[in-house]
């Protein structure tokens, strides 16, 4: 028995089904494109990928790893055109793993106008980011400095003792915490 050629009705139905399927794929790709930035940020925060540090509440309890010390180095930068001086008070600290520590950074507005900035940060080596935890940091919010104003900004942090049992961090003796301040464009008010 010979099969009959597809009717125009069957072809139209298949074409319509294919079109709907392709439109669905296109919409899914568009949605994924919009969701990729927040999903990537969440991924980095959870895993420490790319040197992204962790964040903890002030009441977090961590056991110190007695006898295990590590060097923390601090780096500071401002983007070109940002009229600030920005530097750590101390460029290195030797800390006990698991102990709370505080580093102070100093920022000064060198301009004759208020300037608002926001700091981005990362940790190197990047695999140590999953174990470097900030409790309090100026980088969590924007900072506004008035003309000529100088401020001391604390960072309260600890290195999670789990770093000592991570094969990827077994040779880590020093962690560098680096900040870069960027200007925040304020909304321009119409004249």
């Amino acid at each position: 028995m010979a099969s009959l050629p597809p009717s125009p009705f069957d072809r139209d139905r298949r074409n319509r089904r294919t079109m709907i399927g392709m439109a669905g794929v296109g919409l899914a790709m568009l949605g994924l494109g919009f969701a990729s930035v927040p999903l990537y940020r969440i991924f980095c925060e959870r895993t420490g990928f790319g040197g992204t540090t962790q964040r903890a509440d002030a009441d977090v309890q961590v056991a110190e790893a007695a006898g295990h010390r590590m060097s923390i180095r601090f780096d500071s930068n401002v983007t070109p055109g940002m009229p600030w001086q920005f530097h750590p008070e101390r460029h290195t600290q030797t800390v006990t793993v698991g102990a709370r520590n505080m580093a102070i950074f100093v920022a000064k507005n060198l301009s004759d106008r208020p300037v608002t900035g926001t700091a981005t940060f990362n940790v190197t080596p990047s695999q140590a980011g999953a174990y470097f935890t900030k409790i309090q940091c100026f980088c969590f919010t924007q900072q506004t400095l008035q003309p000529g104003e100088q401020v001391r900004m604390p960072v309260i942090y600890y290195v999670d003792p789990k770093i000592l049992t991570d094969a990827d961090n077994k040779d880590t003796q020093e962690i560098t915490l680096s900040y870069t301040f960027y200007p925040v464009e304020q909304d321009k008010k119409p004249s």
Side-chain angles (χ1 to χ4, degrees):
M1 183 186 260
S3 64
L4 297 173
S7 73
F9 178 72
D10 289 338
R11 234 178 297 138
D12 287 346
R13 191 169 53 190
R14 277 190 305 214
N15 286 344
R16 197 175 356 206
R17 204 178 306 156
T18 301
M19 242 178 21
I20 290 171
M22 295 308 292
V25 168
L27 287 173
M29 290 176 68
L30 182 66
L32 187 58
F34 280 106
S36 64
V37 171
L39 290 174
Y40 181 73
R41 182 179 42 78
I42 291 168
F43 170 76
C44 290
E45 288 172 356
R46 295 274 191 255
T47 64
F49 181 76
T52 302
T53 62
Q54 305 304 300
R55 195 168 172 176
D57 292 328
D59 59 353
V60 67
Q61 299 296 317
V62 180
E64 291 184 23
H68 293 280
R69 298 185 57 79
M70 190 171 286
S71 177
I72 308 297
R73 192 173 81 76
F74 303 103
D75 178 53
S76 59
N77 306 282
V78 293
T79 58
M82 183 160 187
W84 282 16
Q85 283 181 344
F86 173 58
H87 61 88
E89 280 188 344
R90 293 177 50 202
H91 289 278
T92 60
Q93 291 179 344
T94 301
V95 302
T96 299
V97 174
R100 285 182 191 226
N101 299 281
M102 182 168 61
I104 303 289
F105 285 77
V106 178
K108 183 174 183 177
N109 181 353
L110 303 175
S111 76
D112 60 355
R113 61 184 172 76
V115 176
T116 300
T118 188
T120 61
F121 54 86
N122 74 334
V123 166
T124 52
S126 60
Q127 70 271 14
Y131 303 101
F132 195 95
T133 305
K134 295 180 196 174
I135 298 168
Q136 178 185 333
C137 183
F138 57 86
C139 62
F140 295 162
T141 59
Q142 295 179 354
Q143 306 295 319
T144 300
L145 299 182
Q146 297 303 314
E149 181 181 14
Q150 178 173 306
V151 295
R152 296 175 74 233
M153 301 180 294
V155 178
I156 299 174
Y157 68 94
Y158 66 90
V159 178
D160 194 316
K162 293 176 188 168
I163 195 170
L164 301 172
T165 59
D166 181 359
D168 291 335
N169 283 290
K170 66 180 179 175
D171 297 325
T172 301
Q173 299 296 314
E174 179 178 83
I175 296 175
T176 300
L177 175 61
S178 181
Y179 288 100
T180 301
F181 256 106
Y182 294 87
V184 174
E185 293 297 322
Q186 300 299 315
D187 293 331
K188 307 257 191 243
K189 297 196 176 172
S191 304

